Amino acid sequence: MQASTPSPAWDLVTVPARQGLEAVDILRRGAGDGVGPVLHDDGCGTLGFLVPSGTAAAWDVPGSTCVETEGRGLSLVAPEPPVEGSDWLLPPGDADLATDPAVLRAALGEAARLIEAADSRR
């Protein structure tokens, strides 16, 4: 009998959709596997980045939240999103990698600066 492996626990960083979309672009332009699975909640206008468990304890990026999921209800089997009312913007791939929190923090900061610059030109 083969032992079953538990599903990984993820934390979820939620940001406004505009900033999140900018961050996804920034991460995808970077080298390597910069961005993991991303959820889009159209009703709330947010994006959710799956990050490694434990990230929520030290998350301090203004304008975003990070919650512990401890794996509750987060099954990373595409195409079904783990959160009701959301869809995958970037579905989990074969490796189901989470986004590195330090890389995400930098991308969100850059995205905020880009948005601020664009808005100040209007």
Side-chain angles (χ1 to χ4, degrees):
M1 182 174 183
Q2 187 177 26
S4 65
T5 57
S7 341
W10 305 95
D11 288 353
L12 185 69
V13 172
T14 305
V15 298
R18 184 175 178 200
Q19 183 181 14
L21 291 169
E22 286 287 347
V24 167
D25 286 344
I26 291 163
L27 291 167
R28 293 185 86 183
R29 286 192 309 257
D33 296 325
V35 63
V38 178
L39 289 165
H40 180 240
D41 185 338
D42 206 19
C44 293
T46 60
L47 290 187
F49 293 82
L50 296 179
V51 293
S53 180
T55 300
W59 192 256
D60 60 354
V61 176
S64 68
T65 59
C66 186
V67 294
E68 296 177 13
T69 66
E70 299 172 358
R72 292 172 291 188
L74 283 181
S75 170
L76 296 184
V77 179
E80 281 299 314
V83 178
E84 188 175 330
S86 66
D87 290 308
W88 288 113
L89 178 68
L90 297 174
D94 293 334
D96 292 337
L97 297 174
T99 301
D100 180 294
V103 174
L104 179 57
R105 182 178 277 111
L108 289 172
E110 184 178 341
R113 289 186 296 278
L114 289 170
I115 291 168
E116 184 178 336
D119 288 350
S120 70
R121 292 186 179 264
R122 289 182 190 195

